Structures are given as C-alpha cells and as structure tokens.
Amino acid sequence: MAHLDDFIKGIINGEIPTPSANAAEIQTLIDTIGAEEDAVKGEYSKIGELYYKLHSDRTDGELGALVKGVNGSKKKILDSKMRIGALLDLTFCEACGEQVDEDALFCNNCGAKMPVKVLPGMVLCKHCNKAVREGIKFCTNCGHSMIEEVKPKALKECANCGFTTNDPDKMFCDDCGRRLVMEGGDPIEEEKEVVKEPTRKVCTNCGFSIFDAETMFCNDCGRRLVEESELNK
C-alpha cells in the first residue's frame, strides 16, 4: 500500500485521478499543505540562523560541523568582497563594509580597527600602529622610540607554577605560595632575624627592674631604665 505522502505526490503529478466532486477541495488542501511546508522551511531557516548566532564558535559534533561550514563560507564571501575592493584600489571595513580612508586606523562608521598595510621596508610603530620606515630611531607619526625595549630578566621564579618577579624582597609566589628560587635555580635563603637577648634593666630612681629588651622606661616612675650590666662597670 502507498504512503500518504507518495499518494499526494501522485495526485499533484496527475498520476492518480481524483473524483470530480471532490477535486476542488482536494486542490485547496494540497495548496494549504504546500504553503505550510514552505512556512516550516522558513522557520527551520530562522532556527538555524538563531543557533548560529548563539553558537558560531562551536565546531564539535554534527551541528558543529554545519557551523564550521557556514563559517568557512562566510570567510570566503568576505575575502571575495575585500578582493573586489582591492582591485578597485579602494579600502573597505571588514566589519561593516563601509568605505574608509586608506591610512585610517579605525572605521568611521562602526569603529572597528582597520588592518595596517605594511609595505616592504616598513615596520609598525608599537605605540601608534602606524607604518614607518624600517631602521629609524623614532616614529615619524607619534615620536615614540622605535628601539626594542629589552625587558629585564626575572630575578626570581616559582618552580611550581612559573610565576616570576624582580622584587628582591619577595620570598614566596603570589599565585601558589611556594618559595621562590633565584635565577640560577638556587633556593632563596630567608633572612635570619636578629633576636636581641633579653637583659635585666633597672630604674636607678625607684629600683624597678624588668627582663625586657624593648622596655625603655620605668613602669612606676617613668625614669629611663639602664641595663644592669652598665651599673656594674
């Protein structure tokens, strides 16, 4: 027995005759089916477009493969459009398509950063991103030094997570708390705190005495304390 869809296709193609009494109604129903199928395809397209907007970075699985295919096609479309602009000797923004000046750093329409064209013998200034002649000491656009700044090598590093620092007083890693090691790999020796031995101090006014290296004045009368060893000299 035929499937319903195959039966309807047969009617549409004239392969299956329809009773003349019901021909008009059947045709109306067939038209309704066709219109609704077109509507479903349109909704499918909207669903796919919405999914792509939300997951344009997905490349895994069956849906990811479809997204990847769309990304590839969009890239080819953009490259072709930009190539047409180049053949016309005009510059256009890749983000919005607006025409911009050849040496513009940003698009005047959408604000997107424009790629800088670097000709042979030219280099980019790392400060203003303008192309300048290679070998000059200062940028002719902003005046910034073109000499490569050599960053000082880190004095200490963490053998556990790779954290580095030039702070001579830092003993432990800011990230994992491990003890830092010197550039050559030797462990940093922790500075030994000099502990002053407590000594007896006495007050020559009232006789108060105390074993405390930090106390400087008498707790009873307020006079300056002296070390007992000084009194015996």
Side-chain angles (χ1 to χ4, degrees):
M1 297 181 68
H3 191 276
L4 177 60
D5 290 341
D6 296 331
F7 194 80
I8 293 174
K9 287 180 181 178
I11 295 175
I12 295 173
N13 296 331
E15 299 171 354
I16 299 176
T18 57
S20 57
N22 301 323
E25 183 178 0
I26 290 175
Q27 185 59 48
T28 300
L29 293 172
I30 289 176
D31 292 342
T32 299
I33 292 172
E36 293 303 320
E37 286 179 342
D38 290 341
V40 169
K41 291 179 181 179
E43 294 304 317
Y44 280 160
S45 178
K46 291 179 182 179
I47 292 172
E49 186 175 356
L50 177 60
Y51 180 89
Y52 178 81
K53 289 180 179 179
L54 296 176
H55 306 284
S56 60
D57 57 342
R58 177 177 175 178
T59 57
D60 61 306
E62 186 176 356
L63 289 174
L66 295 174
V67 169
K68 190 175 181 179
V70 173
N71 288 339
S73 296
K74 289 171 73 69
K75 180 65 168 57
K76 290 180 180 179
I77 292 171
L78 177 60
D79 290 344
S80 298
K81 289 181 178 180
M82 298 303 294
R83 179 57 181 165
I84 292 174
L87 292 173
L88 296 174
D89 200 21
L90 298 173
T91 303
F92 296 89
C93 174
E94 293 187 6
C96 69
E98 190 73 16
Q99 183 179 353
V100 295
D101 294 334
E102 184 178 1
D103 59 347
L105 297 179
F106 299 92
C107 174
N108 293 328
N109 182 58
C110 68
K113 189 174 181 180
M114 301 299 297
V116 180
K117 298 177 181 178
V118 182
L119 300 176
M122 306 288 283
V123 292
L124 289 180
C125 172
K126 294 183 179 180
H127 186 70
C128 68
N129 206 39
K130 278 282 189 178
V132 295
R133 182 168 52 84
E134 187 176 7
I136 63 174
K137 294 183 178 180
F138 298 93
C139 175
T140 53
N141 181 64
C142 68
H144 192 266
S145 175
M146 295 294 294
I147 300 175
E148 188 74 19
E149 296 182 2
V150 180
K151 295 183 179 180
K153 193 172 182 180
L155 296 175
K156 304 175 184 178
E157 63 179 357
C158 176
N160 180 53
C161 68
F163 169 82
T164 60
T165 179
N166 289 317
D167 187 351
D169 298 324
K170 189 175 291 295
M171 302 295 294
F172 299 94
C173 175
D174 286 348
D175 296 334
C176 67
R178 292 286 186 89
R179 180 177 290 278
L180 300 174
V181 296
M182 298 298 290
E183 179 185 348
D186 297 328
I188 301 173
E189 294 184 2
E190 187 174 1
E191 295 180 2
K192 295 181 180 180
E193 183 180 359
V194 178
V195 180
K196 190 175 181 181
E197 293 292 336
T199 181
R200 178 187 291 274
K201 295 181 178 180
V202 297
C203 174
T204 58
N205 180 56
C206 67
F208 171 83
S209 66
I210 187 174
F211 274 98
D212 188 352
E214 303 298 328
T215 302
M216 303 298 294
F217 297 93
C218 177
N219 290 347
D220 293 337
C221 68
R223 289 286 186 90
R224 178 177 287 277
L225 299 174
V226 295
E227 293 187 4
E228 189 176 40
S229 58
E230 294 294 325
L231 296 177
N232 295 330
K233 290 183 179 179

